Protein backbone atom coordinates (compact mmCIF):
# COMPACT_ATOMS: atom_id res chain seq x y z
CA UNK A 1 0.00 0.00 0.00
CA UNK A 2 1.79 3.08 -1.26
CA UNK A 3 1.36 6.62 -0.09
CA UNK A 4 -2.09 7.93 -0.99
CA UNK A 5 -3.79 10.88 0.62
CA UNK A 6 -6.97 8.80 0.90
CA UNK A 7 -5.10 6.37 3.19
CA UNK A 8 -2.71 8.49 5.29
CA UNK A 9 -2.85 12.25 5.38
CA UNK A 10 -1.81 15.10 7.68
CA UNK A 11 -4.02 17.36 9.75
CA UNK A 12 -3.46 20.04 12.37
CA UNK A 13 -4.58 20.12 15.99
CA UNK A 14 -3.53 22.69 18.61
CA UNK A 15 -1.18 24.21 16.03
CA UNK A 16 0.71 20.92 15.64
CA UNK A 17 0.75 18.53 12.69
CA UNK A 18 -0.47 14.94 13.09
CA UNK A 19 -1.35 12.12 10.71
CA UNK A 20 -4.56 10.17 10.31
CA UNK A 21 -5.63 6.95 8.59
CA UNK A 22 -8.75 6.82 6.41
CA UNK A 23 -9.57 3.91 4.10
CA UNK A 24 -12.17 1.21 3.47
CA UNK A 25 -11.45 -2.42 2.62
CA UNK A 26 -13.71 -5.49 2.35
CA UNK A 27 -16.52 -3.84 4.25
CA UNK A 28 -14.36 -2.32 7.00
CA UNK A 29 -14.29 1.48 7.32
CA UNK A 30 -11.04 2.42 9.10
CA UNK A 31 -10.67 5.88 10.64
CA UNK A 32 -7.80 6.54 13.09
CA UNK A 33 -5.98 9.74 13.99
CA UNK A 34 -3.38 11.20 16.35
CA UNK A 35 -0.20 9.73 14.85
CA UNK A 36 2.92 11.84 15.26
CA UNK A 37 4.70 10.72 12.09
CA UNK A 38 3.70 9.52 8.64
CA UNK A 39 5.77 6.37 9.17
CA UNK A 40 3.89 5.50 12.37
CA UNK A 41 0.48 6.01 10.71
CA UNK A 42 1.46 4.04 7.62
CA UNK A 43 2.81 1.20 9.77
CA UNK A 44 -0.52 0.87 11.58
CA UNK A 45 -2.45 1.21 8.30
CA UNK A 46 -0.42 -1.60 6.73
CA UNK A 47 -0.90 -3.76 9.82
CA UNK A 48 -4.68 -3.27 9.72
CA UNK A 49 -4.82 -3.97 5.99
CA UNK A 50 -2.91 -7.24 6.37
CA UNK A 51 -5.20 -8.34 9.22
CA UNK A 52 -8.30 -7.51 7.18
CA UNK A 53 -6.96 -9.56 4.27
CA UNK A 54 -6.09 -12.59 6.40
CA UNK A 55 -9.31 -12.36 8.42
CA UNK A 56 -7.76 -11.57 11.82
CA UNK A 57 -8.69 -7.89 12.06
CA UNK A 58 -10.37 -6.90 15.35
CA UNK A 59 -11.62 -3.30 15.25
CA UNK A 60 -12.04 -3.31 19.02
CA UNK A 61 -8.26 -3.38 19.47
CA UNK A 62 -7.82 -0.17 17.47
CA UNK A 63 -10.84 2.07 17.80
CA UNK A 64 -11.13 4.64 20.56
CA UNK A 65 -14.63 3.65 21.70
CA UNK A 66 -13.02 1.05 23.99
CA UNK A 67 -10.52 3.50 25.45
CA UNK A 68 -12.27 3.52 28.82
CA UNK A 69 -11.38 -0.19 29.12
CA UNK A 70 -7.70 0.26 28.29
CA UNK A 71 -5.24 -0.03 31.17
CA UNK A 72 -2.03 1.93 31.49
CA UNK A 73 -0.07 -1.26 30.78
CA UNK A 74 -2.10 -2.01 27.64
CA UNK A 75 -1.81 1.54 26.34
CA UNK A 76 1.97 1.50 26.88
CA UNK A 77 2.41 -1.80 25.05
CA UNK A 78 -0.03 -1.25 22.18
CA UNK A 79 0.35 2.46 21.52
CA UNK A 80 3.12 4.30 23.32
CA UNK A 81 6.02 1.88 22.93
CA UNK A 82 5.97 1.97 19.11
CA UNK A 83 5.46 5.73 19.17
CA UNK A 84 8.40 6.15 21.55
CA UNK A 85 10.68 4.10 19.30
CA UNK A 86 9.59 6.16 16.30
CA UNK A 87 10.10 9.67 17.71
CA UNK A 88 12.82 9.37 20.36
CA UNK A 89 16.54 8.76 19.98
CA UNK A 90 17.69 5.21 20.83
CA UNK A 91 19.76 6.59 23.72
CA UNK A 92 16.67 8.29 25.19
CA UNK A 93 14.60 5.14 24.71
CA UNK A 94 17.28 3.07 26.49
CA UNK A 95 16.91 5.33 29.54
CA UNK A 96 13.13 5.67 29.45
CA UNK A 97 12.12 2.02 28.96
CA UNK A 98 13.61 0.72 32.26
CA UNK A 99 11.94 3.58 34.16
CA UNK A 100 8.55 2.85 32.66
CA UNK A 101 8.73 -0.94 32.90
CA UNK A 102 10.29 -1.15 36.37
CA UNK A 103 8.59 1.79 38.09
CA UNK A 104 5.43 2.89 36.31
CA UNK A 105 3.98 -0.36 34.95
CA UNK A 106 4.30 -2.33 38.23
CA UNK A 107 2.73 0.54 40.22
CA UNK A 108 -0.08 1.80 37.97
CA UNK A 109 -0.12 -0.69 35.09
CA UNK A 110 -3.50 -2.18 36.06
CA UNK A 111 -5.20 1.22 36.33
CA UNK A 112 -7.48 2.32 33.51
CA UNK A 113 -5.76 5.04 31.51
CA UNK A 114 -8.78 7.30 32.06
CA UNK A 115 -8.65 6.86 35.83
CA UNK A 116 -5.12 8.26 36.27
CA UNK A 117 -5.54 11.60 38.03
CA UNK A 118 -3.28 14.10 39.78
CA UNK A 119 -3.91 12.26 43.06
CA UNK A 120 -2.70 9.03 41.45
CA UNK A 121 0.56 10.70 40.50
CA UNK A 122 1.03 12.26 43.96
CA UNK A 123 0.52 8.88 45.65
CA UNK A 124 3.05 7.31 43.29
CA UNK A 125 5.66 9.97 44.11
CA UNK A 126 5.07 9.47 47.84
CA UNK A 127 5.49 5.73 47.48
CA UNK A 128 8.74 6.12 45.55
CA UNK A 129 10.05 8.58 48.16
CA UNK A 130 9.21 6.07 50.86
CA UNK A 131 11.33 3.50 49.05
CA UNK A 132 14.30 5.85 49.17
CA UNK A 133 14.42 7.16 45.62
CA UNK A 134 15.80 10.66 45.11
CA UNK A 135 13.77 13.62 43.91
CA UNK A 136 15.90 13.76 40.77
CA UNK A 137 15.10 10.13 39.94
CA UNK A 138 11.40 10.64 40.65
CA UNK A 139 11.42 13.76 38.48
CA UNK A 140 12.79 11.69 35.58
CA UNK A 141 9.96 9.17 36.07
CA UNK A 142 7.49 12.08 36.07
CA UNK A 143 8.79 13.15 32.64
CA UNK A 144 8.22 9.63 31.30
CA UNK A 145 4.70 9.45 32.72
CA UNK A 146 3.78 12.87 31.35
CA UNK A 147 4.99 11.82 27.89
CA UNK A 148 2.75 8.73 27.95
CA UNK A 149 -0.28 10.70 29.15
CA UNK A 150 0.33 13.39 26.52
CA UNK A 151 0.32 10.74 23.81
CA UNK A 152 -2.88 9.29 25.26
CA UNK A 153 -4.40 12.77 25.12
CA UNK A 154 -3.20 13.33 21.54
CA UNK A 155 -4.79 10.04 20.46
CA UNK A 156 -8.07 10.84 22.23
CA UNK A 157 -7.84 8.22 24.98
CA UNK A 158 -8.05 10.90 27.68
CA UNK A 159 -9.49 14.39 27.55
CA UNK A 160 -6.59 16.18 29.24
CA UNK A 161 -3.28 15.56 30.98
CA UNK A 162 -3.62 15.37 34.79
CA UNK A 163 -2.14 18.43 36.46
CA UNK A 164 0.18 16.50 38.75
CA UNK A 165 2.95 18.64 40.19
CA UNK A 166 6.48 17.83 39.15
CA UNK A 167 8.59 16.55 42.07
CA UNK A 168 10.82 19.33 43.32
CA UNK A 169 14.51 18.74 42.84
CA UNK A 170 16.88 20.77 44.96
CA UNK A 171 19.20 22.26 42.40
CA UNK A 172 22.85 22.30 43.32
CA UNK A 173 24.49 25.66 42.90
CA UNK A 174 25.94 25.87 39.42
CA UNK A 175 29.70 25.61 39.61
CA UNK A 176 31.69 26.99 36.73
CA UNK A 177 35.46 26.84 37.03
CA UNK A 178 37.44 29.97 36.26
CA UNK A 179 40.19 29.99 33.67
CA UNK A 180 42.74 30.15 36.50
CA UNK A 181 41.27 27.01 38.05
CA UNK A 182 41.26 25.19 34.70
CA UNK A 183 44.87 26.26 34.18
CA UNK A 184 45.83 24.98 37.64
CA UNK A 185 44.27 21.60 36.92
CA UNK A 186 45.96 21.23 33.55
CA UNK A 187 49.37 22.26 34.89
CA UNK A 188 49.11 19.85 37.82
CA UNK A 189 48.08 17.01 35.50
CA UNK A 190 50.97 17.73 33.15
CA UNK A 191 53.56 17.76 35.95
CA UNK A 192 52.27 14.78 37.92
CA UNK A 193 53.43 11.22 37.40
CA UNK A 194 50.02 10.06 38.72
CA UNK A 195 48.24 11.18 35.57
CA UNK A 196 48.69 9.46 32.22
CA UNK A 197 49.60 11.57 29.19
CA UNK A 198 46.45 10.59 27.33
CA UNK A 199 44.30 11.88 30.23
CA UNK A 200 46.11 15.24 30.21
CA UNK A 201 45.77 15.47 26.42
CA UNK A 202 42.07 14.64 26.67
CA UNK A 203 41.46 17.37 29.25
CA UNK A 204 43.14 19.96 27.03
CA UNK A 205 40.94 18.76 24.17
CA UNK A 206 37.79 18.99 26.30
CA UNK A 207 38.57 22.57 27.27
CA UNK A 208 39.69 23.95 23.91
CA UNK A 209 36.82 22.34 21.96
CA UNK A 210 34.02 22.34 24.55
CA UNK A 211 33.23 18.74 23.62
CA UNK A 212 31.06 16.55 25.78
CA UNK A 213 32.95 13.56 27.17
CA UNK A 214 31.15 11.07 24.90
CA UNK A 215 31.95 13.19 21.84
CA UNK A 216 35.64 13.46 22.77
CA UNK A 217 35.90 9.71 23.33
CA UNK A 218 34.49 9.13 19.84
CA UNK A 219 36.77 11.56 17.98
CA UNK A 220 39.08 9.84 15.50
CA UNK A 221 42.27 10.99 13.85
CA UNK A 222 40.40 11.33 10.54
CA UNK A 223 38.05 13.86 12.17
CA UNK A 224 40.95 16.30 12.54
CA UNK A 225 41.61 18.57 9.56
CA UNK A 226 44.88 20.41 10.08
CA UNK A 227 44.51 22.32 6.80
CA UNK A 228 41.21 23.95 7.72
CA UNK A 229 42.04 23.90 11.45
CA UNK A 230 38.75 22.19 12.33
CA UNK A 231 37.56 19.03 14.03
CA UNK A 232 34.40 17.18 13.03
CA UNK A 233 31.96 16.42 15.87
CA UNK A 234 29.30 14.03 14.58
CA UNK A 235 29.20 11.10 17.00
CA UNK A 236 29.62 10.06 20.61
CA UNK A 237 30.19 6.93 22.67
CA UNK A 238 27.07 6.43 24.77
CA UNK A 239 26.50 3.45 27.07
CA UNK A 240 29.55 1.80 25.52
CA UNK A 241 28.26 2.09 21.95
CA UNK A 242 28.91 4.49 19.10
CA UNK A 243 25.92 6.77 18.65
CA UNK A 244 24.93 10.12 17.18
CA UNK A 245 25.61 13.27 19.19
CA UNK A 246 23.17 14.35 21.88
CA UNK A 247 21.32 16.67 19.48
CA UNK A 248 22.08 14.77 16.25
CA UNK A 249 24.44 17.49 15.04
CA UNK A 250 27.24 17.05 12.52
CA UNK A 251 29.48 20.10 12.66
CA UNK A 252 33.05 21.16 12.16
CA UNK A 253 34.26 23.40 14.95
CA UNK A 254 37.46 25.47 14.98
CA UNK A 255 40.68 24.15 16.47
CA UNK A 256 42.54 26.52 18.76
CA UNK A 257 46.18 26.86 17.79
CA UNK A 258 47.24 25.88 21.34
CA UNK A 259 45.63 22.49 20.79
CA UNK A 260 47.76 21.51 17.78
CA UNK A 261 50.83 20.22 19.70
CA UNK A 262 48.50 18.40 22.10
CA UNK A 263 46.77 16.57 19.25
CA UNK A 264 50.07 15.77 17.56
CA UNK A 265 51.40 14.27 20.80
CA UNK A 266 48.24 12.22 21.17
CA UNK A 267 48.52 10.91 17.62
CA UNK A 268 52.04 9.67 18.36
CA UNK A 269 50.91 8.23 21.69
CA UNK A 270 48.07 6.38 19.97
CA UNK A 271 50.46 4.75 17.50
CA UNK A 272 52.65 3.63 20.37
CA UNK A 273 49.98 1.99 22.54
CA UNK A 274 47.22 0.94 20.13
CA UNK A 275 46.59 -2.80 20.52
CA UNK A 276 43.03 -3.12 19.21
CA UNK A 277 40.97 -2.05 16.20
CA UNK A 278 39.84 0.99 18.17
CA UNK A 279 39.58 4.11 16.00
CA UNK A 280 39.31 6.57 18.88
CA UNK A 281 42.01 9.23 19.08
CA UNK A 282 42.17 9.06 22.88
CA UNK A 283 43.09 5.53 23.92
CA UNK A 284 44.38 4.03 27.15
CA UNK A 285 48.13 3.42 27.51
CA UNK A 286 47.20 0.50 29.79
CA UNK A 287 44.78 -1.43 27.55
CA UNK A 288 45.34 0.04 24.11
CA UNK A 289 41.57 0.47 23.87
CA UNK A 290 39.17 3.37 24.46
CA UNK A 291 39.43 5.36 27.68
CA UNK A 292 36.52 4.45 29.92
CA UNK A 293 34.17 7.12 31.19
CA UNK A 294 34.65 6.00 34.81
CA UNK A 295 38.44 6.09 34.53
CA UNK A 296 38.35 9.62 33.12
CA UNK A 297 36.00 10.74 35.91
CA UNK A 298 38.27 9.29 38.61
CA UNK A 299 41.32 11.01 37.16
CA UNK A 300 39.51 14.36 36.97
CA UNK A 301 38.54 14.04 40.65
CA UNK A 302 42.18 13.26 41.54
CA UNK A 303 43.45 16.27 39.60
CA UNK A 304 40.84 18.66 41.05
CA UNK A 305 41.52 17.51 44.60
CA UNK A 306 45.24 18.13 44.26
CA UNK A 307 45.11 21.28 42.12
CA UNK A 308 42.11 23.02 43.67
CA UNK A 309 41.86 21.45 47.11
CA UNK A 310 38.39 20.05 46.39
CA UNK A 311 36.83 17.87 43.71
CA UNK A 312 33.22 18.66 44.58
CA UNK A 313 31.17 19.52 41.51
CA UNK A 314 34.11 19.03 39.14
CA UNK A 315 33.58 16.72 36.17
CA UNK A 316 34.44 16.44 32.50
CA UNK A 317 31.55 18.83 31.82
CA UNK A 318 33.31 21.48 33.92
CA UNK A 319 35.74 22.10 31.05
CA UNK A 320 32.86 22.69 28.64
CA UNK A 321 31.19 25.11 31.08
CA UNK A 322 34.44 27.00 31.66
CA UNK A 323 34.94 27.48 27.92
CA UNK A 324 31.34 28.66 27.46
CA UNK A 325 31.71 31.20 30.25
CA UNK A 326 35.03 32.42 28.84
CA UNK A 327 33.57 32.85 25.34
CA UNK A 328 30.61 34.90 26.59
CA UNK A 329 32.80 37.00 28.89
CA UNK A 330 35.14 37.70 25.95
CA UNK A 331 32.19 39.31 24.11
CA UNK A 332 32.05 36.61 21.44
CA UNK A 333 28.49 36.69 20.01
CA UNK A 334 26.31 34.29 21.99
CA UNK A 335 24.91 32.63 18.87
CA UNK A 336 28.44 31.88 17.61
CA UNK A 337 29.51 30.47 20.98
CA UNK A 338 26.32 28.39 21.16
CA UNK A 339 26.93 27.04 17.65
CA UNK A 340 30.43 25.91 18.56
CA UNK A 341 29.07 24.11 21.64
CA UNK A 342 26.12 22.64 19.68
CA UNK A 343 23.55 24.33 21.91
CA UNK A 344 20.92 27.01 21.56
CA UNK A 345 21.79 30.48 22.89
CA UNK A 346 19.19 30.16 25.66
CA UNK A 347 20.62 26.83 26.87
CA UNK A 348 24.13 28.25 26.74
CA UNK A 349 23.23 31.25 28.90
CA UNK A 350 21.08 29.29 31.35
CA UNK A 351 23.20 26.22 31.98
CA UNK A 352 26.77 26.94 30.91
CA UNK A 353 27.60 30.57 31.39
CA UNK A 354 28.69 32.20 34.63
CA UNK A 355 28.81 35.92 34.10
CA UNK A 356 31.92 37.84 34.98
CA UNK A 357 30.06 40.36 37.15
CA UNK A 358 33.13 42.54 37.65
CA UNK A 359 33.67 42.83 33.91
CA UNK A 360 29.97 43.53 33.40
CA UNK A 361 29.93 46.26 36.05
CA UNK A 362 32.97 48.00 34.55
CA UNK A 363 31.62 47.76 31.02
CA UNK A 364 28.16 48.93 32.06
CA UNK A 365 29.49 51.92 33.99
CA UNK A 366 31.60 53.02 31.02
CA UNK A 367 28.71 52.92 28.57
CA UNK A 368 27.43 56.26 27.28
CA UNK A 369 23.73 55.50 27.13
CA UNK A 370 22.42 59.04 26.67
CA UNK A 371 24.44 61.78 25.07
CA UNK A 372 25.12 64.78 27.27
CA UNK A 373 25.20 67.06 24.24
CA UNK A 374 22.27 69.40 23.76
Amino acid sequence: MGYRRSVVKPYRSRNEEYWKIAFSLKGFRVRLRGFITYQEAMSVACDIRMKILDGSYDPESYFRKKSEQLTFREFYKTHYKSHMNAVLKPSTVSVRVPLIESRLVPYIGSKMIKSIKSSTMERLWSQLRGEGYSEGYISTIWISLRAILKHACDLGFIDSIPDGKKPRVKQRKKKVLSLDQIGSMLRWAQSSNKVEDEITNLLYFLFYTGCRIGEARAVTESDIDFDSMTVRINKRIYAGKLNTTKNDSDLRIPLHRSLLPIIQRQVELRKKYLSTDCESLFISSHSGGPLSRAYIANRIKLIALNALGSSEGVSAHSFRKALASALVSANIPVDEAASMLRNTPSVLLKHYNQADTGQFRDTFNNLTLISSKK
Side-chain angles (χ1 to χ4, degrees):
M1 181 167 59
Y3 173 77
R4 293 183 299 148
R5 285 198 172 275
S6 60
V7 175
V8 173
K9 60 183 179 180
Y11 70 95
R12 297 193 71 81
S13 176
R14 300 172 188 168
N15 293 321
E16 293 187 12
E17 185 178 75
Y18 297 93
W19 294 83
K20 61 183 178 181
I21 299 171
F23 70 93
S24 298
L25 181 65
K26 299 186 73 172
F28 287 101
R29 185 171 180 269
V30 179
R31 300 290 186 273
L32 294 173
R33 59 172 50 216
F35 299 97
I36 302 298
T37 65
Y38 165 76
Q39 289 80 5
E40 183 185 8
M42 183 57 75
S43 175
V44 172
C46 290
D47 184 60
I48 292 175
R49 183 176 183 274
M50 293 301 296
K51 287 181 178 179
I52 291 175
L53 293 175
D54 67 20
S56 63
Y57 175 55
D58 177 16
E60 304 291 348
S61 64
Y62 289 94
F63 290 133
R64 301 325 182 224
K65 64 183 181 180
K66 289 291 183 179
S67 63
E68 68 275 5
Q69 299 179 19
L70 202 64
T71 65
F72 179 85
R73 179 183 287 105
E74 290 167 340
F75 178 79
Y76 168 65
K77 289 183 176 179
T78 59
H79 295 281
Y80 184 72
K81 201 166 185 179
S82 59
H83 163 74
M84 175 175 59
N85 288 322
V87 302
L88 297 180
K89 291 183 62 176
S91 57
T92 304
V93 172
S94 69
V95 172
R96 192 162 290 187
V97 167
L99 292 176
I100 296 171
E101 296 185 354
S102 66
R103 297 291 172 259
L104 292 176
V105 171
Y107 288 85
I108 60 174
S110 59
K111 287 187 173 294
M112 298 300 168
I113 192 76
K114 276 198 164 188
S115 71
I116 297 177
K117 308 295 182 185
S118 298
S119 57
T120 309
M121 299 167 73
E122 294 295 338
R123 285 195 298 271
L124 174 58
W125 309 148
S126 296
Q127 188 170 351
L128 291 171
R129 288 187 189 101
E131 294 178 11
Y133 294 107
S134 69
E135 291 299 304
Y137 184 73
I138 297 172
S139 178
T140 305
I141 297 174
W142 178 88
I143 293 171
S144 300
L145 177 57
R146 286 272 301 183
I148 295 173
L149 295 177
K150 181 182 183 303
H151 190 54
C153 186
D154 290 339
L155 296 183
F157 282 90
I158 59 177
D159 296 327
S160 61
I161 304 172
D163 189 25
K165 294 180 180 179
K166 183 177 181 180
R168 291 187 176 182
V169 181
K170 186 177 180 181
Q171 297 288 346
R172 290 186 303 176
K173 186 177 180 181
K174 181 173 65 174
K175 183 173 184 178
V176 179
L177 298 180
S178 67
L179 295 183
D180 286 342
Q181 289 173 314
I182 291 291
S184 295
M185 288 183 64
L186 294 175
R187 285 191 294 273
W188 189 90
Q190 205 160 25
S191 63
S192 173
N193 57 10
K194 296 180 180 179
V195 181
E196 296 84 354
D197 289 341
E198 62 269 21
I199 294 291
T200 303
N201 294 340
L202 174 66
L203 298 188
Y204 272 102
F205 187 86
L206 289 174
F207 175 64
Y208 279 111
T209 62
C211 278
R212 300 175 178 92
I213 185 62
E215 294 169 345
R217 292 174 64 213
V219 165
T220 65
E221 189 175 344
S222 61
D223 291 324
I224 310 293
D225 189 331
F226 292 104
D227 293 328
S228 65
M229 287 291 287
T230 60
V231 55
R232 186 183 186 187
I233 307 299
N234 67 334
K235 54 191 173 297
R236 62 172 172 163
I237 295 177
Y238 184 85
K241 297 179 181 179
L242 198 63
N243 206 327
T244 59
T245 61
K246 184 178 180 180
N247 46 14
D248 288 322
S249 59
D250 183 351
L251 296 174
R252 281 199 169 274
I253 62 174
L255 279 178
H256 195 282
R257 61 179 181 275
S258 298
L259 196 56
L260 288 181
I262 305 294
I263 292 177
Q264 289 165 352
R265 285 202 298 269
Q266 184 57 35
V267 168
E268 293 303 315
L269 200 65
R270 182 178 182 275
K271 292 177 181 177
K272 180 178 179 182
Y273 290 111
L274 183 65
S275 62
T276 66
D277 294 330
C278 172
E279 294 186 358
S280 298
L281 175 62
F282 297 97
I283 63 167
S284 169
S285 58
H286 301 293
S287 66
L291 286 166
S292 76
R293 191 184 187 98
Y295 192 79
I296 295 168
N298 288 335
R299 281 293 183 263
I300 290 175
K301 292 292 185 183
L302 171 69
I303 295 167
L305 185 61
N306 284 274
L308 307 179
S310 172
S311 61
E312 184 179 358
V314 180
S315 67
H317 222 61
S318 299
F319 294 85
R320 178 178 169 85
K321 289 182 178 181
L323 176 64
S325 187
L327 293 176
V328 174
S329 294
N331 296 322
I332 288 178
V334 173
D335 57 342
E336 292 292 336
S339 176
M340 178 177 175
L341 295 169
R342 285 87 62 211
N343 274 129
T344 61
S346 59
V347 169
L348 172 69
L349 293 175
K350 182 178 180 180
H351 297 289
Y352 290 94
N353 176 52
Q354 177 173 283
D356 185 335
T357 55
Q359 181 190 36
F360 171 80
R361 190 181 300 109
D362 292 341
T363 303
F364 181 72
N365 286 331
N366 289 323
L367 285 177
T368 302
L369 300 176
I370 299 176
S371 176
S372 58
K373 295 180 180 180
K374 293 183 179 180

